């Protein structure tokens, strides 16, 4: 692997790159064209050349082309000058302003052009469209297959509607989405030690071919659908922004209370089971229970008393309510006369009904005059009491007549089944065996032939 200069603090000093042989170079080098020699394209071209591929960069900017051909970086990026110099010295990288020359022997062409914001906030696809339309006539008469890999950040559907549409008359061309996850200032290290490698396509062979280009890197490729790959890039950037905003808002309330915000966050991330982990990061039903809603309300109330605005934390409950409203609308749109609901508590393996999102869902079904029954293996009217029981009977006075005794009874009675919790394997088998339509509101995988909220 490439070696890095490391300081005593454990941080990489300027991300300085020193040439070193790869432990596992790619077994099948490719002829690659990289269109666009900006931050993404130039770093990608140098990385691919370092991996042993023959790379031609193409850009209409003569300055960038000249810089690359001289083994120099056309912009400031730590480690890139050394990598470009090494790639030029090895003969694996050159640049041109001639698109036809770059495409002539290419197996794969990477599109690394900009997709800047428009005044209304939308993403501009004009550069992608312009490049795609420029490539199209150059492929006339081509007999060699070509994969067009889109590295540019593109909203789901862009690869199909812009790139594939422009190249549709060329059956030898396959399109994949291969989003980049590079950070300016550490792009070289992010290229050679990637945290994530995503390749999306409706053509599995094309996706595997592009993933194979990175075979010398220490990362397991994630092969997805074309649109999923496009959305993953946006999801990652949105998550990074959310994390920064969350840390800043916790820091703000900590400072107002005379608490060290760094100590709070440093302790929070020590929990790698629930906090800094994959826990909770599954799309599914709204949250509820006795802790999350209550504590969010208390935190934001106290912040207002301190004259602090915490817009992100203040929006969490309204976001949850909007998600619940979407689920309710989906349920109300079910055509079946009898709706069977699996799950009553706010999550699996508990009988806690406090702020369960299932309760307002059932209330809305009742208000709309829909016929429903519900089953939850952990909720028995003769076994719950106090606040739990009072809350349930106040919201749903006739719940005793609307609870099924078993999942088999629920499935036999219902025309449509709504899952608000993840079923046990045994219950899942019964639900699948019945062959009735299923709307899944819970997180997790969506078995074939079922519908899921939000889709």
């Amino acid at each position: 692997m490439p070696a890095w200069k490391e300081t005593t603090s454990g941080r990489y000093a300027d991300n300085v790159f020193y040439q070193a042989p790869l432990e596992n170079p790619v077994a099948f080098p490719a002829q690659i064209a990289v269109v666009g020699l900006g931050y993404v394209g130039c770093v990608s071209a140098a990385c691919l050349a370092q991996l042993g591929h023959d790379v031609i960069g193409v850009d209409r900017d003569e300055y960038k082309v000249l810089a690359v051909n001289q083994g120099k970086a056309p912009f400031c990026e730590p480690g890139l000058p050394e990598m470009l110099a090494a790639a030029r010295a090895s003969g694996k990288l050159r640049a041109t302003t001639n698109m036809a020359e770059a495409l002539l022997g290419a197996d794969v062409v990477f599109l690394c052009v900009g997709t800047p914001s428009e005044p209304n906030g939308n993403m501009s696809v004009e550069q992608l469209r312009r490049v795609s339309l420029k490539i199209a006539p150059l492929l006339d008469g081509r007999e060699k297959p070509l994969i067009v890999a889109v590295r540019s950040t593109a909203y789901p559907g862009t690869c199909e509607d812009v790139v594939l549409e422009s190249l549709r008359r060329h059956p030898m061309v396959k399109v994949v989405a291969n989003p980049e996850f590079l950070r300016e200032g550490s792009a070289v290290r992010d290229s050679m030690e990637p945290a994530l490698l995503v390749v999306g396509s409706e053509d599995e062979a094309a996706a595997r071919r592009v993933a194979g280009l990175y075979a010398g890197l220490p990362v397991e490729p994630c092969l997805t659908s074309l649109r999923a790959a496009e959305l993953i890039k946006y999801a990652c950037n949105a998550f990074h922004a959310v994390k920064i905003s969350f840390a800043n808002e916790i820091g703000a309330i900590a400072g107002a209370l005379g608490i060290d915000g760094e100590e709070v966050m440093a302790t929070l991330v020590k929990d790698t089971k629930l906090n800094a982990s994959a826990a909770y990061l599954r799309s599914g039903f709204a949250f509820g229970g006795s802790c999350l809603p209550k504590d969010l309300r208390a935190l934001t109330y106290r912040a207002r008393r301190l004259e602090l605005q915490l817009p992100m934390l203040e929006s969490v409950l309204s976001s949850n309510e909007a998600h619940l409203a979407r689920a309710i609308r989906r349920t109300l749109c079910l055509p079946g006369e009898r709706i069977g609901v699996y799950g009553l508590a706010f999550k699996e393996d508990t009988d806690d009904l406090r702020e369960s999102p299932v309760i307002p869902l059932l209330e809305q079904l009742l208000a709309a005059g829909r016929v429903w029954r519900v089953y939850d293996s952990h909720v028995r009217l003769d076994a719950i009491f106090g606040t739990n029981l009072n809350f349930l009977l106040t919201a749903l006075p006739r719940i005793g007549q609307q609870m099924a005794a078993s999942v088999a009874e629920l499935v036999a009675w219902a025309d449509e089944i709504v899952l608000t919790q993840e079923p046990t394997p045994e219950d899942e088998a019964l639900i699948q065996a019945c062959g009735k339509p299923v709307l899944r509101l819970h997180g997790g995988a969506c078995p074939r032939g079922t519908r899921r909220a939000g889709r």
Side-chain angles (χ1 to χ4, degrees):
M1 292 305 301
W4 296 84
K5 184 178 178 181
E6 191 170 358
T7 67
T8 54
S9 68
R11 298 188 63 183
Y12 293 92
D14 299 325
N15 287 326
V16 178
F17 175 80
Y18 294 90
Q19 181 67 15
L22 290 166
E23 295 177 358
N24 300 300
V26 292
F28 303 103
Q31 300 287 325
I32 296 174
V34 177
V35 180
L37 292 174
Y39 278 94
V40 173
C42 202
V43 174
S44 297
C47 171
L48 290 163
Q50 167 73 3
L51 288 167
H53 302 293
D54 293 307
V55 183
I56 300 179
V58 57
D59 200 294
R60 60 182 178 177
D61 187 330
E62 294 183 359
Y63 167 75
K64 292 179 182 177
V65 170
L66 179 62
V68 170
N69 282 332
Q70 292 177 343
K72 299 177 181 179
F75 47 82
C76 177
E77 182 61 41
L80 184 58
E82 293 86 350
M83 190 177 233
L84 287 172
R88 286 294 292 142
S90 70
K92 290 293 184 181
L93 174 64
R94 62 187 179 91
T96 180
T97 57
N98 190 321
M99 182 76 79
E101 177 188 354
L103 294 177
L104 188 59
D107 301 302
V108 182
V109 55
F110 284 89
L111 304 188
C112 302
V113 297
T115 51
S117 290
E118 295 180 338
N120 63 0
N122 191 24
M123 173 201 71
S124 172
V125 298
E126 288 311 304
Q127 292 186 54
L128 269 178
R129 180 177 285 111
R130 175 180 55 79
V131 167
S132 301
L133 291 173
K134 186 173 183 179
I135 289 173
L138 299 175
L139 303 181
D140 291 342
R142 183 185 178 95
E143 297 181 358
K144 183 179 181 179
L146 179 69
I147 298 174
V148 177
V150 179
R151 292 280 275 168
S152 305
T153 301
Y155 191 76
T158 302
C159 286
E160 294 171 299
D161 299 339
V162 177
V163 180
L164 189 59
E165 185 63 31
S166 301
L167 305 172
R168 191 173 297 280
R169 64 189 179 92
H170 298 283
M172 302 292 285
V173 175
K174 305 296 181 184
V175 175
V176 308
N178 177 215
E180 51 80 21
F181 300 97
L182 309 179
R183 298 166 295 170
E184 292 184 26
S186 59
V188 171
R189 183 186 178 193
D190 291 342
S191 290
M192 302 306 291
E193 300 178 16
L196 188 62
L197 172 58
V198 176
V199 184
S201 181
E202 305 315 312
D203 186 291
E204 183 178 352
R208 292 192 179 279
R209 180 72 173 105
V210 172
L213 299 176
Y214 303 96
L217 300 180
V219 63
E220 185 73 22
C222 300
L223 303 184
T224 72
S225 68
L226 192 60
R227 291 191 172 205
E230 292 171 308
L231 185 56
I232 286 166
K233 167 65 175 182
Y234 278 95
C236 288
N237 279 355
F239 188 42
H240 299 163
V242 165
K243 289 196 292 184
I244 293 169
S245 298
F246 172 78
N248 286 341
E249 291 196 358
I250 293 298
I253 195 168
L257 294 170
I259 300 168
D260 184 350
E262 285 293 313
E263 180 183 13
V264 173
M265 293 307 300
T267 305
L268 181 147
V269 299
K270 287 182 181 296
D271 177 358
T272 57
K273 183 176 180 181
L274 298 180
N275 292 343
S277 73
Y280 305 113
L281 289 175
R282 299 171 67 194
S283 57
F285 201 25
F287 65 75
S290 61
C291 296
L292 301 188
K294 173 180 70 71
D295 292 348
L296 276 166
R297 281 192 289 266
L299 189 63
T300 54
Y301 171 81
R302 292 286 183 163
R304 289 192 296 271
R305 293 287 297 273
L306 294 167
E307 298 185 350
L308 283 177
Q309 286 189 321
L310 305 179
M312 196 193 80
L313 288 173
E314 290 168 1
S315 72
V316 175
L317 284 174
S318 60
S319 173
N320 193 54
E321 290 165 2
H323 191 61
L324 174 58
R326 286 191 291 270
I328 290 172
R329 286 196 298 270
R330 299 284 285 182
T331 305
L332 288 172
C333 287
L334 294 177
E337 180 180 344
R338 295 179 296 186
I339 299 174
V341 178
Y342 180 97
L344 182 57
F346 82 95
K347 67 174 184 177
E348 298 89 350
D349 299 323
T350 181
D351 64 355
D352 194 347
L353 301 170
R354 288 174 292 180
E355 304 213 39
S356 169
V358 185
I359 304 299
L361 183 149
L362 295 177
E363 286 180 307
Q364 288 297 313
L365 286 175
L366 191 63
R370 303 299 296 271
V371 179
W372 56 265
R373 296 184 70 182
V374 63
Y375 169 75
D376 192 313
S377 62
H378 296 288
V379 178
R380 292 288 183 267
L381 293 182
D382 58 357
I384 60 174
F385 53 89
T387 304
N388 232 5
L389 181 60
N390 292 336
F391 173 72
L392 180 60
L393 293 178
T394 300
L396 303 167
R398 299 178 58 194
I399 187 66
Q401 303 170 34
Q402 294 166 305
M403 291 196 70
S406 68
V407 67
E409 179 183 313
L410 183 78
V411 166
W413 174 85
D415 299 320
E416 305 254 6
I417 299 166
V418 177
L419 304 184
T420 67
Q421 299 176 4
E422 186 166 1
T424 64
E426 297 78 13
D427 290 351
E428 178 69 48
L430 282 171
I431 292 165
Q432 287 297 302
C434 77
K436 296 179 179 179
V438 177
L439 173 63
R440 292 177 181 268
L441 301 180
H442 67 86
C446 184
R448 185 174 299 177
T450 65
R451 291 197 297 270
R452 189 168 176 182
R455 291 192 176 185

